[in-house]
């Protein structure tokens, strides 16, 4: 069994007995590899976002959160590559890290043969450019779901910087740039901050108060040009 097949099978083995843990020794015997190999594989799965944790003690071992893992996914290799292309286009956006994790989770739960075929097909696909040149700082990328006030130093078009406290509310993106939509306490209103002009950022302990996101006051883009993201 190659490593790709084994990683997939490990997740399914842990899912099958969840929430009961499996010891590294038992898994090693099950897959006819060394305990160290199992520990490396578990580490790789954890880094890819699979919710596996270690239970201490004599009856402990590794366990997976069944509610937060996927059963085998019935995607064709072509569909998987199409999703990979779309997710790779998120590089340089606030969702780049999440896109990478999502792609690894998808491949981890695909049937081994389909995953291998997807890898072969992907090797024949080439992209030019990955999106905005400047990556979005991780603190900014996590700002809206984290719900914490940020203190940022923001540079305008001329490079002049101002120190502001902002309440993250959402994101706005186009093919060239991404913006953090936030209530600016300095300007007392919603503003769009281009993420590559946020030169320093600190997360404060204060929670973001509940506010409506009114784009009519946040930017001068005509409403008919804006398209709200949906999951369908």
């Amino acid at each position: 069994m190659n490593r790709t097949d084994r990683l997939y099978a490990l997740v399914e083995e842990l899912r099958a007995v969840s929430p009961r843990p499996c010891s590294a020794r038992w898994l090693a015997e099950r897959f006819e590899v060394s305990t160290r190999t199992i520990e490396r594989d578990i580490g790789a799965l954890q880094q890819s976002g699979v919710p596996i944790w270690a239970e201490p003690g004599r009856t402990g071992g590794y366990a997976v959160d069944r509610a937060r893992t996927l059963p085998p996914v019935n995607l064709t290799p072509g569909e998987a590559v199409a999703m990979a292309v779309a997710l790779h286009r998120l590089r340089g956006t606030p969702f780049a890290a999440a896109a990478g994790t999502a792609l690894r989770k998808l491949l981890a739960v695909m049937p081994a043969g389909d995953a291998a075929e997807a890898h072969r097909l992907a090797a024949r696909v080439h992209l030019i450019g990955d999106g905005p040149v400047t990556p979005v700082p991780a603190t900014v990328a996590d700002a809206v779901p984290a719900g914490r006030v940020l203190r940022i130093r923001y540079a305008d078009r001329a490079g002049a910087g101002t120190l502001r406290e902002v309440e993250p509310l959402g994101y706005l993106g186009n093919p060239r740039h991404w913006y953090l939509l936030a209530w600016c306490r300095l300007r007392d209103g919603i503003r769009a901050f281009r993420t590559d002009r946020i030169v320093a950022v600190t997360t404060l302990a204060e929670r973001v108060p509940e506010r409506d996101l009114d784009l009519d006051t946040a930017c001068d883009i005509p409403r008919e040009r804006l398209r709200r993201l949906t999951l369908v």
Side-chain angles (χ1 to χ4, degrees):
M1 180 182 292
N2 61 39
R3 189 168 190 251
T4 299
D5 293 347
R6 190 173 63 249
L7 290 175
Y8 164 76
L10 268 172
V11 174
E12 288 309 298
E13 193 70 47
L14 293 173
R15 273 180 53 82
V17 300
S18 177
R20 180 168 58 86
C22 290
S23 70
R25 178 176 295 180
W26 186 90
L27 290 169
E29 293 175 356
R30 169 73 174 80
F31 292 102
E32 299 179 345
V33 294
S34 68
T35 301
R36 180 170 295 183
T37 296
I38 291 295
E39 291 171 346
R40 282 199 299 262
D41 289 348
I42 293 292
L45 289 167
Q46 290 171 326
Q47 290 177 7
S48 73
V50 179
I52 298 173
W53 70 91
E55 293 279 359
R58 292 183 60 187
T59 60
Y62 295 106
V64 67
D65 185 348
R66 186 169 187 153
R68 297 181 59 198
T69 57
L70 295 171
V73 178
N74 188 26
L75 289 180
T76 68
E79 289 170 338
V81 172
M83 294 184 68
V85 170
L87 292 173
H88 274 295
R89 290 299 185 188
L90 293 177
R91 290 184 179 178
T93 76
F95 306 100
T101 301
L103 184 56
R104 289 190 292 272
K105 285 181 179 179
L106 171 67
L107 291 172
V109 297
M110 285 182 68
D114 288 347
E117 180 60 29
H119 279 291
R120 286 192 288 270
L121 180 56
R124 295 177 176 271
V125 178
H126 298 80
L127 305 174
I128 299 177
D130 289 321
V133 175
T134 305
V136 177
T139 304
V140 176
D142 296 336
V144 174
R148 301 285 183 178
V149 176
L150 300 181
R151 180 177 293 128
I152 66 172
R153 181 166 293 280
Y154 188 70
D156 63 16
R157 293 180 181 178
T162 54
L163 188 64
R164 310 171 185 231
E165 288 188 1
V166 302
E167 303 168 12
L169 299 175
Y171 300 103
L172 176 66
N174 64 35
R176 295 184 60 195
H177 302 294
W178 275 78
Y179 299 80
L180 174 68
L181 298 171
W183 181 271
C184 178
R185 293 178 174 177
L186 179 65
R187 304 303 184 201
D188 197 28
I190 296 177
R191 294 292 185 270
F193 299 96
R194 216 172 87 178
T195 55
D196 61 332
R197 291 181 179 166
I198 299 175
V199 296
V201 58
T202 302
T203 302
L204 305 183
E206 183 182 355
R207 301 286 304 180
V208 172
E210 193 69 32
R211 291 186 186 274
D212 291 330
L213 178 55
D214 182 5
L215 289 185
D216 289 333
T217 64
C219 58
D220 57 3
I221 301 173
R223 174 67 68 171
E224 60 270 15
R225 292 188 58 193
L226 294 173
R227 179 167 52 89
R228 178 174 294 182
L229 180 68
T230 66
L231 298 181
V232 294

